[in-house]
Amino acid sequence: MTEHTALYVYALLPDRPDAADGVTGIDGRPLRLVRVPGTSVAALVHDAAPTPLEGGDDQVRRWVEEQSRAVDTVWERTGSVLPMTFNVLVAAEPSPEPSPEDGTAAGTAAGTPVGRSAEQRLTEWVTEQAADIGGQLEGLAGRCELRVDITVDRTAATAGGTGGAAEGAPEGGPDGLSPGMRRLMEKQREHRARATAGQLADTLHAETRQRLLAVAEDYRDRGPTHRVAGETDVLCAALLVRREDIDAVGAVLTDLRARQPAVRVRFLGPWPPYSFIDTAHRARAEEMAP
Amino acid sequence: MTADLSPMRPTRDPRVTLDDLLEVVLNKGAVLHLDLIVAVADIPLIGVSLRAAIAGMETMLEYGMMRHWDEDTRAWAERSTARRALDLEEDENVVCRMSGGHLLTESLYHGWRPGTVYLTDRRLVVLRDEPREILWETGLDAVTAVRLEPERTVGGEERLRLDVALADGGQERLSAREPGELHALLTEACAGRPTPALPFAFRSPAEEDPPLAEGHLWYHEPRRGGPLWRGGQGRMTADRLVWKSPVDSRPALVLPLADITAVRRVPAYSPAGEDGLIAVHTTAGDEVRLAADDPAAWTERLRAAGAATGPVAAGPVAAAG
């Protein structure tokens, strides 16, 4: 049951004989390259049992980190990779049933009742897709993914702003404000702070997006991810940039921070271009969704 | 904070980036050809890749409970898709969701546009699923009355429709799979809100600035590799023009009307046809290119608004400020 008849695939990359030397992956397993004759593509794999990885959150976190570290190392060496998502396994083809309807299915014309090995299947698949894969590897060479996450701190953004009237109202007494009315006014004040921050966020988003688009070769709006109380999302994007342009992106962010002290910026990367892999296959997967 | 003006450097420190990394690795990356994955006998890997494709951050949170994923994945994916269908604001919750539609009456096209009706604790929204677009929405605080009205359909059937009266005097008609239920929930949701009669309007002027014009616009978005025509929604208020694509989380263009120096029609190709292109010149010396199916109307509005707030020139030549 624990036979290593499958391949866990980390990435496809330009075939460089030493690319996987000394690299370890999930659970410290040594990685190797499956080279695909007749193409310039290789796959980074470890030999695995034909069962997907399952585990608790912390364990999955650790695995993902290990997987990503391995892909990073190889990416640094080859300058281009097509990373796989988590848990991509290619299993050996099961041995044909004793009396299969279509005797040729297993592709073992010689008559040996054995299915193709995982390595054969992977190699055949890469060979079939070689032109597409090679094109993508070439297109992404020298490029990396950066992630930019911008929010505004509502308190800082609206300080001295519209909140004054409600706060300045005298306690109880002359105005006879009931607790309910007071609560309502407090809600209104908060509502206004959100609206003001939202307008500021719109403006900052438009101008920052435009400046980032002038540098990046590709751009994916990711929608907000990190929700922090008291902050309003401005922009959250993955950028595909040439390595030499990383500083140009940094300069845009530095400038924004200098002009708008209320903004909070997270700037992550550089990573292999996970978000910019041609999604043709994914689209097909989604078509299959229930 | 010190004013360090050297370019910010991105970080790869796993203590900072791990959650993002998880999301990116679980969500993205090439997926082997589907046929091959499905062909991996006895390993329902399709479950994993579907989950990864749909999930977002929820994926890794739920990975810990993967024991039964084979049967649960489909149900879970469906829920997840529904949750992602409407972009909720912070603290906003969906009260109910059902198929339905909005009766469009304000433009040349008059008719039902089908989609999904969402009632949240803040808004009533009709969302078209594909391509995703908000067909119509209102804040609950703008709803003054709701009633059910019978309507005879083309097929002769009688159906209940939901009429919604709004604070601005407008009235909209919605269809819904369960009109009675929607009516009850909507009435309840509105009842909990302050009425317009209160001395303090719940709406803030900043947020509810009424649009002077609103409608579909193309925006020629400048990019490193050359500008790209994108479709989206234009909205002009008293002080600015905002353009937003349905796939972006915020507007890609916010143009203060006071910055407009000239608006002119350009006879050139645009997705709206040969004469749909509008060039807006700004005080910064930029030219913003838009395209509209009704370019004359947009040009007039922009000129009028610009003239009221800024140094706009009606002619093809930009006037000096």
PDB file of all heavy atoms in Angstrom, chain B residues 277-294:
ATOM      1  N   LEU B 277     -16.287  57.299 -29.224  1.00  0.00           N
ATOM      2  CA  LEU B 277     -15.140  57.628 -28.385  1.00  0.00           C
ATOM      3  C   LEU B 277     -15.169  59.071 -27.868  1.00  0.00           C
ATOM      4  O   LEU B 277     -15.402  60.014 -28.624  1.00  0.00           O
ATOM      5  CB  LEU B 277     -13.859  57.396 -29.192  1.00  0.00           C
ATOM      6  CG  LEU B 277     -12.585  57.155 -28.399  1.00  0.00           C
ATOM      7  CD1 LEU B 277     -11.628  56.296 -29.200  1.00  0.00           C
ATOM      8  CD2 LEU B 277     -11.904  58.431 -27.997  1.00  0.00           C
ATOM      9  N   ILE B 278     -14.902  59.200 -26.576  1.00  0.00           N
ATOM     10  CA  ILE B 278     -14.868  60.523 -25.939  1.00  0.00           C
ATOM     11  C   ILE B 278     -13.492  60.710 -25.295  1.00  0.00           C
ATOM     12  O   ILE B 278     -13.043  59.841 -24.554  1.00  0.00           O
ATOM     13  CB  ILE B 278     -15.922  60.618 -24.808  1.00  0.00           C
ATOM     14  CG1 ILE B 278     -17.310  60.253 -25.336  1.00  0.00           C
ATOM     15  CG2 ILE B 278     -15.922  62.005 -24.186  1.00  0.00           C
ATOM     16  CD1 ILE B 278     -18.302  59.937 -24.232  1.00  0.00           C
ATOM     17  N   ALA B 279     -12.840  61.826 -25.591  1.00  0.00           N
ATOM     18  CA  ALA B 279     -11.548  62.117 -24.964  1.00  0.00           C
ATOM     19  C   ALA B 279     -11.738  63.238 -23.947  1.00  0.00           C
ATOM     20  O   ALA B 279     -12.289  64.290 -24.263  1.00  0.00           O
ATOM     21  CB  ALA B 279     -10.531  62.533 -26.018  1.00  0.00           C
ATOM     22  N   VAL B 280     -11.309  62.960 -22.728  1.00  0.00           N
ATOM     23  CA  VAL B 280     -11.428  63.964 -21.664  1.00  0.00           C
ATOM     24  C   VAL B 280     -10.029  64.425 -21.296  1.00  0.00           C
ATOM     25  O   VAL B 280      -9.182  63.631 -20.926  1.00  0.00           O
ATOM     26  CB  VAL B 280     -12.125  63.353 -20.430  1.00  0.00           C
ATOM     27  CG1 VAL B 280     -12.274  64.400 -19.340  1.00  0.00           C
ATOM     28  CG2 VAL B 280     -13.481  62.769 -20.809  1.00  0.00           C
ATOM     29  N   HIS B 281      -9.799  65.723 -21.425  1.00  0.00           N
ATOM     30  CA  HIS B 281      -8.481  66.265 -21.080  1.00  0.00           C
ATOM     31  C   HIS B 281      -8.506  66.821 -19.669  1.00  0.00           C
ATOM     32  O   HIS B 281      -9.509  67.376 -19.224  1.00  0.00           O
ATOM     33  CB  HIS B 281      -8.093  67.355 -22.077  1.00  0.00           C
ATOM     34  CG  HIS B 281      -7.879  66.822 -23.458  1.00  0.00           C
ATOM     35  ND1 HIS B 281      -6.635  66.523 -23.951  1.00  0.00           N
ATOM     36  CD2 HIS B 281      -8.767  66.472 -24.415  1.00  0.00           C
ATOM     37  CE1 HIS B 281      -6.761  66.030 -25.178  1.00  0.00           C
ATOM     38  NE2 HIS B 281      -8.051  65.995 -25.482  1.00  0.00           N
ATOM     39  N   THR B 282      -7.391  66.640 -18.971  1.00  0.00           N
ATOM     40  CA  THR B 282      -7.367  67.065 -17.571  1.00  0.00           C
ATOM     41  C   THR B 282      -6.286  68.113 -17.332  1.00  0.00           C
ATOM     42  O   THR B 282      -5.392  68.304 -18.157  1.00  0.00           O
ATOM     43  CB  THR B 282      -7.069  65.875 -16.641  1.00  0.00           C
ATOM     44  OG1 THR B 282      -5.695  65.507 -16.806  1.00  0.00           O
ATOM     45  CG2 THR B 282      -7.952  64.689 -16.967  1.00  0.00           C
ATOM     46  N   THR B 283      -6.384  68.751 -16.183  1.00  0.00           N
ATOM     47  CA  THR B 283      -5.410  69.787 -15.823  1.00  0.00           C
ATOM     48  C   THR B 283      -3.998  69.221 -15.733  1.00  0.00           C
ATOM     49  O   THR B 283      -3.024  69.937 -15.895  1.00  0.00           O
ATOM     50  CB  THR B 283      -5.772  70.418 -14.465  1.00  0.00           C
ATOM     51  OG1 THR B 283      -6.091  69.364 -13.559  1.00  0.00           O
ATOM     52  CG2 THR B 283      -6.948  71.356 -14.579  1.00  0.00           C
ATOM     53  N   ALA B 284      -3.900  67.909 -15.457  1.00  0.00           N
ATOM     54  CA  ALA B 284      -2.572  67.292 -15.355  1.00  0.00           C
ATOM     55  C   ALA B 284      -1.964  67.048 -16.730  1.00  0.00           C
ATOM     56  O   ALA B 284      -0.835  66.574 -16.841  1.00  0.00           O
ATOM     57  CB  ALA B 284      -2.673  65.977 -14.591  1.00  0.00           C
ATOM     58  N   GLY B 285      -2.729  67.368 -17.787  1.00  0.00           N
ATOM     59  CA  GLY B 285      -2.213  67.173 -19.135  1.00  0.00           C
ATOM     60  C   GLY B 285      -2.493  65.788 -19.684  1.00  0.00           C
ATOM     61  O   GLY B 285      -2.013  65.417 -20.745  1.00  0.00           O
ATOM     62  N   ASP B 286      -3.268  65.000 -18.958  1.00  0.00           N
ATOM     63  CA  ASP B 286      -3.589  63.654 -19.434  1.00  0.00           C
ATOM     64  C   ASP B 286      -4.812  63.679 -20.337  1.00  0.00           C
ATOM     65  O   ASP B 286      -5.622  64.607 -20.284  1.00  0.00           O
ATOM     66  CB  ASP B 286      -3.905  62.732 -18.247  1.00  0.00           C
ATOM     67  CG  ASP B 286      -2.687  62.522 -17.377  1.00  0.00           C
ATOM     68  OD1 ASP B 286      -1.564  62.549 -17.920  1.00  0.00           O
ATOM     69  OD2 ASP B 286      -2.852  62.368 -16.150  1.00  0.00           O
ATOM     70  N   GLU B 287      -4.915  62.636 -21.133  1.00  0.00           N
ATOM     71  CA  GLU B 287      -6.135  62.435 -21.903  1.00  0.00           C
ATOM     72  C   GLU B 287      -6.746  61.105 -21.471  1.00  0.00           C
ATOM     73  O   GLU B 287      -6.117  60.057 -21.578  1.00  0.00           O
ATOM     74  CB  GLU B 287      -5.826  62.398 -23.397  1.00  0.00           C
ATOM     75  CG  GLU B 287      -7.086  62.314 -24.233  1.00  0.00           C
ATOM     76  CD  GLU B 287      -6.797  62.052 -25.713  1.00  0.00           C
ATOM     77  OE1 GLU B 287      -6.493  60.896 -26.067  1.00  0.00           O
ATOM     78  OE2 GLU B 287      -6.866  63.006 -26.503  1.00  0.00           O
ATOM     79  N   VAL B 288      -7.952  61.179 -20.944  1.00  0.00           N
ATOM     80  CA  VAL B 288      -8.662  59.974 -20.524  1.00  0.00           C
ATOM     81  C   VAL B 288      -9.621  59.597 -21.642  1.00  0.00           C
ATOM     82  O   VAL B 288     -10.421  60.422 -22.086  1.00  0.00           O
ATOM     83  CB  VAL B 288      -9.453  60.232 -19.220  1.00  0.00           C
ATOM     84  CG1 VAL B 288     -10.265  59.001 -18.835  1.00  0.00           C
ATOM     85  CG2 VAL B 288      -8.505  60.638 -18.095  1.00  0.00           C
ATOM     86  N   ARG B 289      -9.535  58.348 -22.120  1.00  0.00           N
ATOM     87  CA  ARG B 289     -10.409  57.932 -23.216  1.00  0.00           C
ATOM     88  C   ARG B 289     -11.528  57.027 -22.714  1.00  0.00           C
ATOM     89  O   ARG B 289     -11.275  56.036 -22.034  1.00  0.00           O
ATOM     90  CB  ARG B 289      -9.599  57.217 -24.294  1.00  0.00           C
ATOM     91  CG  ARG B 289      -8.626  58.155 -24.974  1.00  0.00           C
ATOM     92  CD  ARG B 289      -8.142  57.633 -26.297  1.00  0.00           C
ATOM     93  NE  ARG B 289      -7.783  58.771 -27.144  1.00  0.00           N
ATOM     94  CZ  ARG B 289      -7.758  58.738 -28.474  1.00  0.00           C
ATOM     95  NH1 ARG B 289      -8.098  57.629 -29.103  1.00  0.00           N
ATOM     96  NH2 ARG B 289      -7.425  59.807 -29.165  1.00  0.00           N
ATOM     97  N   LEU B 290     -12.729  57.405 -23.071  1.00  0.00           N
ATOM     98  CA  LEU B 290     -13.910  56.638 -22.701  1.00  0.00           C
ATOM     99  C   LEU B 290     -14.688  56.330 -23.977  1.00  0.00           C
ATOM    100  O   LEU B 290     -14.499  57.004 -24.996  1.00  0.00           O
ATOM    101  CB  LEU B 290     -14.802  57.445 -21.756  1.00  0.00           C
ATOM    102  CG  LEU B 290     -14.157  57.952 -20.468  1.00  0.00           C
ATOM    103  CD1 LEU B 290     -15.061  58.980 -19.795  1.00  0.00           C
ATOM    104  CD2 LEU B 290     -13.868  56.805 -19.525  1.00  0.00           C
ATOM    105  N   ALA B 291     -15.544  55.346 -23.912  1.00  0.00           N
ATOM    106  CA  ALA B 291     -16.433  55.096 -25.039  1.00  0.00           C
ATOM    107  C   ALA B 291     -17.809  54.761 -24.501  1.00  0.00           C
ATOM    108  O   ALA B 291     -17.931  54.106 -23.468  1.00  0.00           O
ATOM    109  CB  ALA B 291     -15.908  53.953 -25.903  1.00  0.00           C
ATOM    110  N   ALA B 292     -18.826  55.259 -25.196  1.00  0.00           N
ATOM    111  CA  ALA B 292     -20.194  55.048 -24.724  1.00  0.00           C
ATOM    112  C   ALA B 292     -21.099  54.770 -25.905  1.00  0.00           C
ATOM    113  O   ALA B 292     -20.834  55.198 -27.025  1.00  0.00           O
ATOM    114  CB  ALA B 292     -20.682  56.285 -23.972  1.00  0.00           C
ATOM    115  N   ASP B 293     -22.169  54.040 -25.620  1.00  0.00           N
ATOM    116  CA  ASP B 293     -23.163  53.806 -26.662  1.00  0.00           C
ATOM    117  C   ASP B 293     -23.945  55.082 -26.945  1.00  0.00           C
ATOM    118  O   ASP B 293     -24.510  55.254 -28.018  1.00  0.00           O
ATOM    119  CB  ASP B 293     -24.116  52.683 -26.239  1.00  0.00           C
ATOM    120  CG  ASP B 293     -23.379  51.350 -26.174  1.00  0.00           C
ATOM    121  OD1 ASP B 293     -22.442  51.171 -26.976  1.00  0.00           O
ATOM    122  OD2 ASP B 293     -23.723  50.515 -25.317  1.00  0.00           O
ATOM    123  N   ASP B 294     -23.989  55.961 -25.927  1.00  0.00           N
ATOM    124  CA  ASP B 294     -24.655  57.253 -26.111  1.00  0.00           C
ATOM    125  C   ASP B 294     -23.634  58.375 -25.858  1.00  0.00           C
ATOM    126  O   ASP B 294     -23.730  59.109 -24.879  1.00  0.00           O
ATOM    127  CB  ASP B 294     -25.852  57.391 -25.169  1.00  0.00           C
ATOM    128  CG  ASP B 294     -25.488  57.060 -23.722  1.00  0.00           C
ATOM    129  OD1 ASP B 294     -24.391  56.494 -23.500  1.00  0.00           O
ATOM    130  OD2 ASP B 294     -26.274  57.394 -22.825  1.00  0.00           O
TER     131      ASP B 294
END
